[in-house]
């Protein structure tokens, strides 16, 4: 299978798409077709372990990787040392028609590990195939979770280095501590004086800058991306949608072929897009429910057909979704435009130049057949954490709770009782202060730090504080650099830390 750019005619192999991250014309790589998942495939998957399921699905997309390379990679990525649940991505039953797909059992307690534990292996193999001997420098913009997951994934991986930009005041205490305490010879962390969109725009501009590429080349380095613009991030995410379906079949919750739905807490549209790809392969997903926080740009888009940046940016208790420019939507636009890269380029230019674009009624109609979108604000999210804890004695992090709230409202509005899987993207311990405030009341936790709040969560849920959080109490801070939000400052900072 080959990969096309969403903005033009570039056509590359899987390993080339993964190695370069972004297409040379600024577009995102998309698969040339969607391999189909037959009933026989599904029957096989039911009896497989998670790494076996991953190997089978990855091999459908990564044609220029050998079966051995893929097997080796998934075995290393999803090993029992790295994931604290033998199922890797377990499905937890909440009630008769609602389950939670837990994607936070990896080393950094967020769903980003599902892809970023694997990507370094795919990247190293891609470099070998290309005969690339220069160091691959991974530039990452993070809204909190990708940064740490990338640092952990690439830490001390031969032939790579990893530079992370995070918004200085836009991440949770645990998220920040996780990043700034990262060891390893090749990891670098920079606090940007701006928000996530500034970080993401800066990184994109560095990818497009010829002078920066030259400066890096002079130092024997090439750039790549571990953000979800890299197709290598998306393909491992397709796996868990299919794996969840196999688990539901295995436990008799559904019949073969029966429709299910997924509700996904969404920011950059990467996670839910992987669900859409699973649906394109034939996984029986009726609709994908796109859940946003107060930054409801996608809700408005799916309801009006107009994507507009003329709005306030809100800082919320679900910071990994505090995003206004949802990069991966471009891949869906490409499908909606019948794979017309010119049209996608035009929309993206309108977004850059005028702050908005509209896709027209017909395309909107098509998208609405596949996606339903809504949002939940902070008070509703806190209420949802409380409600689910009281009803089901289950602790949700704020991102997952946004999805759960949107599902609750969706059901009330539509009466649709199709079995729905809530995609849980982070451990509640990663956002301990907000979750403890939801459970105990704002006043009870006002002066407590994230560790004290973790202890509260541990005692109410009768679950231990994850070892990764415990360790942060004593790990030394090793990254303290700050940089400005303009691309030039970001470029200087990268060259400085890499010297
Ligand atoms: C990254 C992230 C999201 C958003 O995922 P996208 O793929 O960007 O839509 C949601 N929740 C958590 C906890 C995350 O880390």
């Amino acid at each position: 299978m080959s990969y096309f750019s969403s903005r033009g005619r570039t056509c590359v192999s899987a390993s080339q798409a993964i190695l370069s991250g972004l297409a040379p014309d600024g577009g995102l790589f998309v698969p040339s077709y969607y391999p189909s998942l037959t009933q026989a495939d599904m029957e096989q998957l039911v009896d497989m372990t998670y790494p076996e399921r991953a190997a089978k699905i990855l091999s459908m997309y990564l044609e220029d990787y050998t079966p051995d390379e893929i097997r080796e990679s998934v075995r290393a990525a999803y090993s029992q040392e790295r994931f604290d649940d033998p199922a890797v991505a377990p499905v937890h039953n909440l009630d008769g028609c609602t389950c939670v797909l837990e994607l936070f059992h990896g080393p950094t307690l967020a769903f980003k590990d599902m892809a970023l534990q694997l990507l370094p292996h795919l990247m190293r193999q891609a470099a070998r195939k290309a005969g690339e001997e220069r160091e691959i420098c991974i530039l990452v913009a993070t809204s909190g979770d990708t940064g740490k997951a990338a640092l952990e994934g690439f830490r001390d991986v031969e032939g790579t280095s990893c530079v992370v930009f995070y918004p200085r005041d836009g991440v949770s205490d645990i998220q920040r501590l996780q990043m700034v305490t990262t060891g390893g010879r090749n990891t670098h962390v920079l606090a940007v004086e701006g928000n996530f969109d500034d970080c993401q725009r800066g990184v994109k501009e560095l990818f497009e800058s010829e002078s920066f590429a030259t400066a890096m080349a002079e130092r024997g380095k090439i750039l790549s991306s571990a953000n979800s613009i890299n197709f290598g991030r998306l393909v491992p995410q397709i796996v868990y949608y299919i794996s969840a379906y196999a688990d539901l079949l295995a436990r008799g919750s559904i019949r073969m072929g029966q429709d299910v739905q997924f509700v996904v807490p969404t920011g950059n549209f990467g996670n839910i897009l992987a669900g859409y790809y699973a649906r394109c392969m034939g996984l029986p997903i009726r609709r994908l429910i796109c859940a946003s926080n107060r930054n409801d740009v996608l809700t408005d888009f799916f309801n009006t057909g107009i994507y507009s940046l003329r709005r306030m940016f809100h800082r919320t208790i679900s910071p990994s979704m505090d995003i206004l420019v949802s990069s991966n939507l471009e891949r869906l636009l490409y499908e909606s435009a019948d794979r017309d890269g010119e049209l996608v380029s035009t929309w993206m230019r309108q977004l850059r130049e005028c702050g908005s674009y509209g896709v027209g009624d017909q395309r909107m109609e098509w998208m609405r057949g596949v996606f339903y979108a809504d949002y939940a604000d902070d008070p509703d999210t806190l209420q949802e954490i409380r409600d689910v804890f009281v009803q089901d004695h289950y602790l949700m992090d704020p991102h997952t709770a946004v999805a759960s709230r949107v599902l609750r409202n969706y059901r009330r509005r539509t009466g649709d009782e199709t079995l729905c899987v809530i995609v849980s993207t982070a451990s509640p311990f990663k956002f301990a202060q907000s979750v403890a405030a939801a459970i105990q009341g704002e006043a009870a936790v006002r002066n407590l730090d994230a560790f004290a709040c973790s202890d509260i969560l541990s005692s109410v849920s009768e679950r231990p504080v994850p070892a990764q959080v415990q360790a942060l109490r004593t790990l030394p801070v090793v990254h303290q650099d700050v940089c400005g939000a303009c691309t030039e400052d970001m470029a200087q900072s990268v060259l400085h830390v890499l010297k």
Side-chain angles (χ1 to χ4, degrees), residues 111-112 145 265-271 320-321 399 425-426:
F111 93 96
K112 305 297 197 291
D145 293 327
T266 296
N268 227 348
F269 210 74
N271 195 352
S320 303
M321 293 151 58
H399 303 76
T425 48

Side-chain angles (χ1 to χ4, degrees), residues 173-290:
D173 288 348
I174 299 280
Q175 287 178 315
R176 187 178 46 77
L177 277 173
Q178 280 186 314
M179 289 189 278
V180 298
T181 57
T182 308
R185 284 173 284 104
N186 63 342
T187 59
H188 309 280
V189 182
L190 294 159
V192 174
E193 294 167 315
N195 63 29
F196 171 69
D197 288 313
D198 295 318
C199 299
Q200 177 159 264
R201 182 190 31 74
V203 166
K204 272 193 183 165
E205 283 175 13
L206 291 180
F207 275 110
E208 286 162 19
S209 158
E210 274 172 37
S211 60
F212 186 65
T214 309
M216 292 294 279
E218 282 164 2
R219 292 162 174 78
K221 300 178 201 299
I222 57 163
L223 290 176
S224 189
S225 168
N227 279 105
S228 52
I229 54 174
N230 192 320
F231 189 78
R233 272 282 300 278
L234 291 181
V235 66
Q237 296 179 175
I238 301 171
V239 176
Y240 51 71
Y241 286 92
I242 297 170
S243 173
Y245 194 89
D247 282 346
L248 291 172
L249 278 174
R251 67 174 71 148
S253 302
I254 51 170
R255 288 168 286 101
M256 179 68 81
Q258 184 178 331
D259 273 354
V260 298
Q261 306 199 111
F262 287 88
V263 56
V264 188
T266 296
N268 227 348
F269 210 74
N271 195 352
I272 196 168
L273 184 79
Y276 169 73
Y277 285 174
R279 188 181 187 271
C280 292
M281 294 170 74
L283 192 71
I285 300 176
R286 186 136 169 256
R287 262 166 139 201
L288 289 154
I289 303 175
C290 173

Side-chain angles (χ1 to χ4, degrees), residues 179-423:
M179 289 189 278
V180 298
T181 57
T182 308
R185 284 173 284 104
N186 63 342
T187 59
H188 309 280
V189 182
L190 294 159
V192 174
E193 294 167 315
N195 63 29
F196 171 69
D197 288 313
D198 295 318
C199 299
Q200 177 159 264
R201 182 190 31 74
V203 166
K204 272 193 183 165
E205 283 175 13
L206 291 180
F207 275 110
E208 286 162 19
S209 158
E210 274 172 37
S211 60
F212 186 65
T214 309
M216 292 294 279
E218 282 164 2
R219 292 162 174 78
K221 300 178 201 299
I222 57 163
L223 290 176
S224 189
S225 168
N227 279 105
S228 52
I229 54 174
N230 192 320
F231 189 78
R233 272 282 300 278
L234 291 181
V235 66
Q237 296 179 175
I238 301 171
V239 176
Y240 51 71
Y241 286 92
I242 297 170
S243 173
Y245 194 89
D247 282 346
L248 291 172
L249 278 174
R251 67 174 71 148
S253 302
I254 51 170
R255 288 168 286 101
M256 179 68 81
Q258 184 178 331
D259 273 354
V260 298
Q261 306 199 111
F262 287 88
V263 56
V264 188
T266 296
N268 227 348
F269 210 74
N271 195 352
I272 196 168
L273 184 79
Y276 169 73
Y277 285 174
R279 188 181 187 271
C280 292
M281 294 170 74
L283 192 71
I285 300 176
R286 186 136 169 256
R287 262 166 139 201
L288 289 154
I289 303 175
C290 173
S292 302
N293 65 23
R294 191 67 191 77
N295 295 295
D296 56 349
V297 60
L298 288 167
T299 305
D300 282 354
F301 172 69
F302 283 110
N303 290 315
T304 65
I306 295 169
Y307 195 99
S308 172
L309 293 177
R310 292 184 215 120
R311 59 177 66 234
M312 284 267 295
F313 176 84
H314 299 275
R315 282 184 54 194
T316 73
I317 58 168
S318 44
S320 303
M321 293 151 58
D322 289 347
I323 293 173
L324 294 182
V325 183
S326 262
S327 304
N328 275 293
L329 187 64
E330 179 167 344
R331 289 184 161 109
L332 182 71
L333 294 174
Y334 182 70
E335 304 300 337
S336 82
D338 289 325
R339 310 203 136 205
D340 177 350
E342 294 287 319
L343 185 52
V344 174
S345 304
T346 307
W347 288 329
M348 293 301 114
R349 197 170 50 245
Q350 287 169 347
L351 187 66
R352 216 168 36 242
E353 288 169 6
C354 325
S356 77
Y357 61 84
V359 297
D361 290 345
Q362 230 173 344
R363 292 190 192 89
M364 216 41 246
E365 207 51 36
W366 172 82
M367 283 194 227
R368 268 204 290 260
V370 187
F371 293 91
Y372 173 92
D374 196 5
Y375 77 96
D377 63 15
D378 282 354
D380 281 353
T381 305
L382 290 168
Q383 182 67 44
E384 185 68 17
I385 294 173
R386 194 154 47 234
D387 288 351
V388 172
F389 187 68
V390 170
Q391 281 162 23
D392 304 303
H393 202 68
Y394 185 81
L395 272 187
M396 279 179 176
D397 96 285
H399 303 76
T400 309
V402 164
S404 182
R405 189 61 167 198
V406 164
L407 174 63
R408 196 182 293 276
N409 292 338
Y410 168 80
R411 284 180 169 156
R412 210 175 38 223
R413 212 168 288 161
T414 62
D416 182 355
E417 292 289 320
T418 306
L419 189 145
C420 190
V421 180
I422 298 170
V423 176

